[in-house]
Amino acid sequence: MGDVFTIRRRGLMFVLSSPSGAGKTTISREILARDDNIVMSVSTTTRPKRPGEVAGVDYKFTDETEFKLMVNRGEMLEYAEVFGNYYGTPKEPVMAALEAGQDVMFDIDWQGTQQIKESVRDDLVSVFILPPSMAELESRLRTRAQDSDEVVASRMSRAPDEMSHFPEYDYIVVNRDVEESVARVMAILTAERLRRDRQVGLGDFVKGLREGP
Ligand code: 5GP
C-alpha cells in the first residue's frame, strides 16, 4: 500500500466559456499563475495570430488543410467553427496531463463543451462567464485594441447567441471585477476537487486512519 497520507485524485476537465471579451482569458491566466495543479489546454486554430500572441502558448496556429487532417486522423478531442475560423483541442496533451494527475483548463466555446461533455460527463466541470452589461462587453473588446471595428462588431453580434447557452453550464460567474471573479472560479475548482467521487484514494486513507495511531 502507498503512503496513506496521499489521497489520489482523478484529474478534472475544467471548461471556461464566455462571449468573446467577457474576461475569461484574464481569469484563466490568473488561475494558472496561482495554482500548480492545473494546466491549460492549448488549442489549435486557423485564425491569424493577434499582435502579442505567442505561437504554441496562446494557440497553435495552422492552416485549414492541416487542421482538417488532424480532425480526420482523430487527433482532436473536439473542434468547432467560430467566427469563420476553425478551433480545436488536440487530444494527446490533455490525456497526458490527466494521466499525470493534473487538471486541465479549457477556453472553448459551447460547441466544444457539448462535445467533451458527451465523452467524459463525470470528469467535466463547466463555468460560463457573463459580462455585467453589453456596454461593458463592447468596451472591453475595444480596449483590447487588437481587432478591427469589423471584427469587434462581428464578436458583439455573436454574443447573444453564445450567451443563450448558459443553461448548459454547471456554474455561472458574472465578471464585474476580475479579482472577485478569479476568487469565485478558484472556489469552484477547489470545491470540485474535494468531491468524494474524485478522491479515488479515500478508501485507503480512511483505512489507514482507522488502523491508527
Ligand atoms: P479567440 O479568437 O477570441 O481567441 O476565440 C474565439 C472563441 O473560440 C472563444 O469563444 C474561444 O473560447 C473559442 N475557442 C478557442 N479555442 C477553442 C477550441 O479549441 N475549441 C472550441 N470549440 N472553441 C475554442
Side-chain angles (χ1 to χ4, degrees):
M1 195 166 82
D3 176 359
V4 290
F5 294 104
T6 309
I7 303 174
R8 279 174 298 113
R9 197 170 57 74
R10 245 190 12 241
L12 64 87
M13 300 166 100
F14 196 63
V15 170
L16 295 184
S17 296
S18 74
S20 191
K24 78 184 161 257
T25 307
T26 314
I27 294 170
S28 60
R29 282 197 186 134
E30 271 307 309
I31 290 171
L32 290 173
R34 293 178 195 191
D35 191 313
D36 290 340
N37 291 316
I38 192 159
V39 292
M40 192 79 199
S41 161
V42 180
S43 296
T44 297
T45 183
T46 61
R47 92 148 155 70
K49 189 155 82 72
R50 291 195 191 118
E53 283 185 330
V54 180
V57 175
D58 296 293
Y59 282 104
K60 291 168 196 133
F61 296 95
T62 188
D63 59 23
E64 207 170 307
T65 312
E66 180 55 30
F67 191 96
K68 288 186 170 163
L69 273 174
M70 288 182 74
V71 171
N72 291 336
R73 289 195 297 248
E75 292 169 13
M76 293 296 193
L77 192 59
E78 62 74 32
Y79 73 97
E81 195 182 335
V82 186
F83 308 123
N85 296 302
Y86 288 100
Y87 294 81
T89 303
K91 198 184 285 178
E92 202 276 326
V94 173
M95 295 312 165
L98 290 174
E99 272 162 35
Q102 288 199 293
D103 298 324
V104 183
M105 185 154 55
F106 300 85
D107 170 345
I108 60 175
D109 79 337
W110 62 272
Q111 305 175 79
T113 309
Q114 279 186 355
Q115 291 170 50
I116 298 186
K117 210 189 257 177
E118 275 162 26
S119 51
V120 295
R121 187 165 293 275
D122 289 346
D123 288 327
L124 181 95
V125 175
S126 60
V127 183
F128 199 88
I129 316 274
L130 285 171
S133 68
M134 292 309 272
E136 181 62 27
L137 185 70
E138 181 159 8
S139 137
R140 287 181 194 168
L141 281 173
R142 293 206 179 280
T143 51
R144 185 151 83 177
Q146 291 173 331
D147 295 317
S148 64
D149 284 355
E150 197 189 340
V151 170
V152 169
S154 135
R155 284 167 186 260
M156 280 301 290
S157 70
R158 280 275 314 238
D161 184 45
E162 182 79 25
M163 288 188 292
S164 73
H165 290 276
F166 82 88
E168 296 154 31
Y169 286 74
D170 300 321
Y171 297 92
I172 309 296
V173 172
V174 178
N175 184 20
R176 294 190 181 85
D177 170 84
V178 173
E179 194 49 47
E180 177 193 74
S181 299
V182 170
R184 290 182 173 178
V185 176
M186 283 296 298
I188 296 166
L189 184 58
T190 303
E192 287 288 342
R193 283 171 169 166
L194 292 171
R195 287 184 79 99
R196 178 175 32 78
D197 53 4
R198 290 220 172 84
Q199 302 195 57
V200 292
L202 268 184
D204 286 347
F205 179 70
V206 174
K207 189 165 172 256
L209 287 180
R210 293 178 64 186
E211 283 164 0

